Amino acid sequence: MSNPRGAQDTQTTGTTSPRPNLTGDPQDATYTTAPAVGEQPPVTVEPVGTGTAPGPIADDTDLGTGTAGETNLGAGTGGEYYSPRDVDGDGNVDLIHTRIEGVETITHIDEDGSITLVEQDTDGNGTYETGIAPTATGIRLAEDLDDDGTVDLATHLDPATGAPVRQDVIEGGRITDTRLDTTADGNPDVHLIDSNGDGRFDTALLDTDLDGITNDTLVDTNGDGTFDLRTADTDNDGTQESFDTATDGHLGSIEQFEALIPAEDHYHEQAGTYPAETPTEQTATDLA
C-alpha cells in the first residue's frame, strides 16, 4: 500500500510549508477538484491500520468537537474534492479532507505517514459521527448514533479479515454491554452486561453450542466478582428452565470473561481490573 503522505505531499523539505494555503485554519485551505479516474485515488477507510506504525489507541467516549458545519470544510465547493492540509506548517501533510460521493471524510496522518484516524460524516448532516482508528490489536469503528458528540457504539474489527470480533455499547462514558465472537465464526457467543452501572460486568450470557440461542446465564448478584446464580436452557428452546446458586465460587468469576478483553482497553480502566495508564493526549477533533 502506498504511503498517503508520500503519494500526496510534493512539498520541499524545510521548517515551514512552501504552500501557505495548506497551513492554519481549515477555512483557508486550498480546495481542489477530485482526482480523475486513473490518477491518485481518493482516500478511503480501507487503509486504516495498515500504515507503517499503529496509531494511538483512541479514547472510548470522546468524539471531539469538530463538525463539518463548524469548520466550514466544504465552503465554496459543490461536488467531490480533495484537499491535503499541512496544519502545523512543518512541510508535511497532516490531514486530508475529501468529499467523495457525498461523504465527507477527514483522514489524519501521523509523522511517519501512517493513517491514525479516519472521520466521516456518512449521513450528510454536518457532524462527523463515524470514526475508524487502529488499536494495538485491530481496528476500532466508533459511531455516534444520536449526534450528541459522544460514542454510543464501538465495533472492534479483525485487522486481517475486517470481521467484527467485539461490539461495545457505551452509555454515559462507560461500556455497559459487550458482545464477543470468541470463535471467529461471525456470530457473537459471549454477551457481557453491567446491569447496575458500577463500571464492571456482572452478567454473562453464553451461547455454548453456537446456534444463536443463549444456553447459560451467569450472574454476580452481590458484586464480589464471582457468579452466584446460573440459569440454563436445557432443551435449547430459548427459555431458561433450570437454575443453580452458589456461594463457594464454583460457578466461576467474571475475570475469565474480562480476560477476553485486551488489557489496555478502556473497559479495564473503568472497571478497575487493571492498573490504568496515563492516556496519550488526544487531538481535539479525534473521533474515538
Side-chain angles (χ1 to χ4, degrees):
M1 187 198 77
S2 62
N3 183 304
R5 172 171 291 160
Q8 294 303 318
D9 189 2
T10 58
Q11 305 171 28
T12 58
T13 58
T15 57
T16 60
S17 171
R19 299 173 63 186
N21 285 338
L22 286 177
T23 305
D25 193 312
Q27 296 183 77
D28 297 328
T30 299
Y31 292 84
T32 61
T33 304
V37 176
E39 298 179 5
Q40 175 62 34
V43 171
T44 66
V45 299
E46 183 274 330
V48 175
T50 60
T52 56
I57 299 173
D59 179 81
D60 280 293
T61 59
D62 181 16
L63 277 158
T65 57
T67 65
E70 290 170 351
T71 57
N72 196 27
L73 291 175
T77 61
E80 297 184 352
Y81 67 91
Y82 188 93
S83 176
R85 316 268 180 82
D86 173 19
V87 296
D88 58 9
D90 66 351
N92 294 317
V93 173
D94 305 301
L95 60 85
I96 301 172
H97 180 220
T98 63
R99 182 191 292 125
I100 306 297
E101 296 183 355
V103 176
E104 301 273 354
T105 301
I106 296 179
T107 302
H108 298 255
I109 303 173
D110 203 355
E111 293 180 356
D112 62 3
S114 62
I115 296 175
T116 61
L117 177 67
V118 175
E119 299 177 282
Q120 288 192 319
D121 174 16
T122 59
D123 54 15
N125 69 348
T127 301
Y128 289 91
E129 80 291 332
T130 303
I132 305 175
T135 68
T137 56
I139 300 171
R140 183 174 178 273
L141 168 65
E143 299 173 85
D144 174 12
L145 302 178
D146 54 9
D147 284 326
D148 67 348
T150 59
V151 173
D152 305 300
L153 188 67
T155 304
H156 299 259
L157 310 174
D158 183 289
T161 66
V165 295
R166 174 180 146 214
Q167 190 170 73
D168 299 330
V169 174
I170 302 172
E171 299 178 0
R174 285 184 169 182
I175 299 173
T176 60
D177 184 298
T178 290
R179 297 173 188 262
L180 302 106
D181 177 11
T182 63
T183 61
D185 67 349
N187 298 301
D189 48 84
V190 176
H191 183 187
L192 306 177
I193 301 171
D194 173 14
S195 63
N196 60 10
D198 68 353
R200 190 177 189 186
F201 296 129
D202 50 61
T203 302
L205 289 74
L206 312 177
D207 176 13
T208 57
D209 55 8
L210 308 179
D211 63 354
I213 297 175
T214 298
N215 303 104
D216 296 285
T217 300
L218 300 168
V219 183
D220 173 16
T221 62
N222 59 11
D224 66 353
T226 61
F227 297 117
D228 40 63
L229 173 64
R230 173 181 176 268
T231 61
D233 179 4
T234 57
D235 57 7
N236 211 43
D237 66 351
T239 302
Q240 309 269 299
E241 297 94 3
S242 67
F243 71 92
D244 184 19
T245 59
T247 57
D248 58 3
H250 79 268
L251 294 178
S253 71
I254 196 66
E255 290 181 350
Q256 63 187 299
F257 300 107
E258 291 173 325
L260 298 172
I261 302 173
E264 67 276 3
D265 190 88
H266 174 68
Y267 167 75
H268 294 290
E269 180 181 349
Q270 76 174 39
T273 52
Y274 288 84
E277 297 181 357
T278 302
T280 57
E281 183 177 351
Q282 297 294 315
T283 304
T285 57
D286 279 1
L287 177 62

